[in-house]
């Protein structure tokens, strides 16, 4: 039975930050090698062509912790190129980001799931002449990380994952897990599943995957709030990853960048194809490439195929959106929003994602993002 949804969103969303609680990035002057001019326009860096245009002052943004590591890279590169601009991205959660956006306290929000109809309706109060739209900016696999002493490689399918996170499978040597891991010495040890404590787009995307690929075993609606009983909660992707890193017998879900940075083993997913699929940026890209734009007008919300059996396609993926007004953006931050998102959606901006464990947005979709960003008003 679906648990009653609890309102865990905080009005102080902008103050919530992932990991250390601090991602306040102060404005950087021009690097000697960038060739940036004093007024912040026509500036390029040695590594990329970043057009600062009329960007100036401080831009606040808030939301998804899934894209934190990508945003860290983008902000660092952008601020090194654009003198006099300060980008402050508060990494909290998708839910808190949308709340902050619809309260008008941020220039854009990061969200791992597209706006719901009621959230679009709320956005019209802030976007006076328009509404909030979804711009896909970051793709990547949702890694299922595990910590099981003596076991370095593990394969699971959607059904076993659903039963584990629903606490229906309780031991690591359960026959269902053993059947997928021939020759692996699985211990008679309790499984300790971890999930997000706050509203999370990552949680919602996991729910969409389990609901589509294991419909008989996962009966919950795909929402941002964790729906199943049992398990333990932790704050943010960083918090879940830290718990999995520390606790023997644990399993949890978070973006691949958190697994890579903390050297956490990840589950290979048996999709029913010829071989289990590893959680890699390349394999996630194969799944995201098949996504279809489902949004209308300037909205570029995507539909993902969570049941794909395509060779080498990792099905448990998410796309993180930047949420902006199509029209009605605040005049004092509009130029900076457009300049910054022009960089993040550029070829150079997307190129830096792979090494950080993310998957660039396919060019067929990304070209539409760039066109939409250019037309923001």
């Amino acid at each position: 039975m679906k648990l009653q949804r609890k309102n865990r969103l905080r009005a102080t969303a902008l103050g919530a930050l992932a990991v250390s609680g601090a991602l306040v990035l102060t404005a950087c002057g021009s690097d000697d090698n960038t060739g940036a001019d004093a007024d912040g326009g026509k500036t390029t860096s040695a590594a990329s062509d970043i057009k600062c245009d009329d960007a100036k002052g401080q831009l606040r943004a808030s939301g998804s912790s899934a894209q934190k590591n990508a945003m860290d890279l983008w902000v660092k590169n952008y601020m090194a190129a654009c003198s006099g601009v300060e980008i402050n991205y508060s990494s909290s959660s998708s839910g808190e980001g949308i709340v902050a956006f619809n309260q008008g306290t941020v220039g854009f929000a990061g969200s791992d799931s597209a706006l719901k109809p009621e959230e679009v309706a709320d956005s019209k109060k802030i976007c006076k002449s328009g509404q909030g739209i979804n711009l896909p900016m970051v793709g990547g696999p949702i890694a299922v990380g595990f910590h099981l002493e003596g076991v370095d490689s593990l394969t699971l399918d959607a059904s076993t994952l659903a039963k584990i996170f629903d606490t229906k499978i309780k031991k690591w040597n359960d026959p269902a897990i053993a059947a997928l891991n021939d020759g692996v010495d699985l211990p008679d040890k309790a499984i300790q599943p971890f999930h997000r404590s706050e509203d999370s787009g990552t949680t919602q995307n996991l729910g969409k995957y389990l609901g589509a690929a294991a419909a008989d075993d996962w009966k919950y609606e795909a929402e941002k709030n964790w729906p199943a009983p049992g398990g333990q909660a932790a704050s943010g992707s960083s918090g879940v990853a830290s718990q999995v890193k520390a606790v023997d017998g644990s399993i949890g879900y978070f973006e691949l960048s958190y697994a890579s940075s903390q050297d956490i083993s990840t589950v290979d997913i048996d999709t029913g194809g010829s071989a289990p699929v590893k959680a890699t940026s390349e394999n996630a890209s194969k799944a995201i490439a098949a996504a279809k734009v489902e949004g209308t007008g300037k909205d570029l919300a995507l539909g993902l195929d969570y049941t794909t059996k395509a060779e080498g396609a990792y099905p448990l993926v998410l796309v993180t959106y930047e949420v902006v007004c199509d029209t009605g953006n605040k005049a004092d931050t509009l130029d900076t929003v457009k300049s910054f998102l022009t960089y993040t959606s550029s070829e150079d901006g997307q190129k830096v994602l792979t090494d950080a464990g993310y998957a660039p947005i396919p060019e067929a979709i990304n070209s539409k993002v760039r066109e939409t960003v250019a037309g923001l008003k």
Side-chain angles (χ1 to χ4, degrees):
M1 182 176 64
K2 179 180 175 183
L3 296 181
Q4 183 178 7
R5 179 182 176 88
K6 297 180 180 178
N7 181 9
R8 293 172 176 160
L9 300 181
R10 300 186 297 273
T12 55
L14 287 175
L17 304 176
V19 188
S20 65
L23 178 55
V24 179
L25 301 173
T26 56
C28 299
S30 300
D31 188 288
D32 290 342
N33 296 323
T34 64
D37 58 17
D39 65 4
K42 300 178 182 179
T43 180
T44 61
S45 70
S48 60
D49 183 7
I50 297 177
K51 297 180 179 179
C52 301
D53 296 325
D54 295 320
K56 58 186 179 297
Q58 184 184 74
L59 171 63
R60 291 191 171 195
S62 178
S64 164
S65 65
Q67 68 172 10
K68 176 191 181 297
N69 295 331
M71 194 61 69
D72 284 356
L73 287 171
W74 284 333
V75 169
K76 178 183 177 181
N77 291 345
Y78 183 84
M79 288 174 52
C82 297
S83 177
V85 181
E86 179 182 343
I87 310 290
N88 183 339
Y89 182 79
S90 173
S91 172
S92 48
S93 70
S94 298
E96 291 179 10
I98 297 304
V99 167
F101 180 77
N102 281 341
Q103 290 177 341
T105 57
V106 294
F108 69 88
S111 178
D112 306 334
S113 57
L115 293 168
K116 293 181 176 181
E118 60 268 28
E119 292 170 335
V120 174
D122 286 344
S123 74
K124 294 180 180 180
K125 301 172 186 176
I126 299 301
C127 309
K128 298 297 185 181
S129 58
Q131 65 180 45
I133 57 172
N134 305 282
L135 301 178
M137 201 69 70
V138 181
I142 299 175
V144 179
F146 69 96
H147 178 176
L148 191 58
E149 294 296 334
V151 177
D152 298 321
S153 178
L154 186 70
T155 295
L156 297 174
D157 59 14
S159 176
T160 56
L161 281 171
K163 292 173 183 176
I164 286 170
F165 282 115
D166 200 18
T167 63
K168 296 293 194 299
I169 292 179
K170 301 179 182 298
K171 291 289 188 74
W172 278 110
N173 62 347
D174 187 278
I177 299 177
L180 294 166
N181 294 273
D182 186 38
V184 177
D185 187 13
L186 296 167
D188 182 16
K189 182 177 294 183
I191 299 174
Q192 299 193 53
F194 284 89
H195 59 263
R196 293 282 289 274
S197 60
E198 74 287 358
D199 278 18
S200 160
T202 311
T203 294
Q204 187 172 41
N205 278 276
L206 174 65
K208 289 179 179 178
Y209 164 71
L210 294 176
D216 291 339
D217 301 302
W218 190 258
K219 300 297 186 179
Y220 307 101
E221 292 184 23
E223 295 195 359
K224 293 176 182 177
N225 186 259
W226 182 254
Q232 301 178 61
S235 178
S237 291
S238 59
V240 175
S242 294
Q243 290 296 321
V244 172
K245 176 72 173 179
V247 178
D248 185 24
S250 62
I251 189 169
Y253 58 95
F254 33 79
E255 293 66 46
L256 181 61
S257 59
Y258 291 93
S260 301
S261 64
Q262 298 192 46
D263 196 27
I264 298 172
S265 298
T266 60
V267 168
D268 298 342
I269 294 184
D270 185 344
T271 64
S274 62
V277 184
K278 294 185 178 299
T280 68
S281 297
E282 179 182 3
N283 291 342
S285 292
K286 293 176 182 177
I288 294 172
K292 305 296 183 183
V293 174
E294 294 185 340
T296 58
K298 295 182 179 179
D299 185 81
L300 299 176
L302 300 178
L304 299 168
D305 181 7
Y306 295 102
T307 62
T308 180
K309 293 179 175 60
E311 195 69 24
Y314 184 82
L316 181 45
V317 295
L318 62 74
V319 170
T320 290
Y321 300 93
E322 311 309 341
V323 176
V324 296
C325 298
D326 54 359
T327 61
N329 290 280
K330 292 184 178 180
D332 58 344
T333 56
L334 175 59
D335 288 337
T336 307
V337 168
K338 291 179 68 172
S339 173
F340 181 64
L341 296 185
T342 294
Y343 164 59
T344 63
S345 61
S346 70
E347 182 179 345
D348 288 324
Q350 290 289 301
K351 191 179 297 181
V352 303
L353 296 179
T354 302
D355 289 341
Y358 296 98
I361 299 298
E363 179 57 25
I365 298 170
N366 200 36
S367 61
K368 297 178 182 178
V369 174
R370 290 194 293 267
E371 180 181 349
T372 302
V373 170
L376 296 178
K377 298 177 181 179

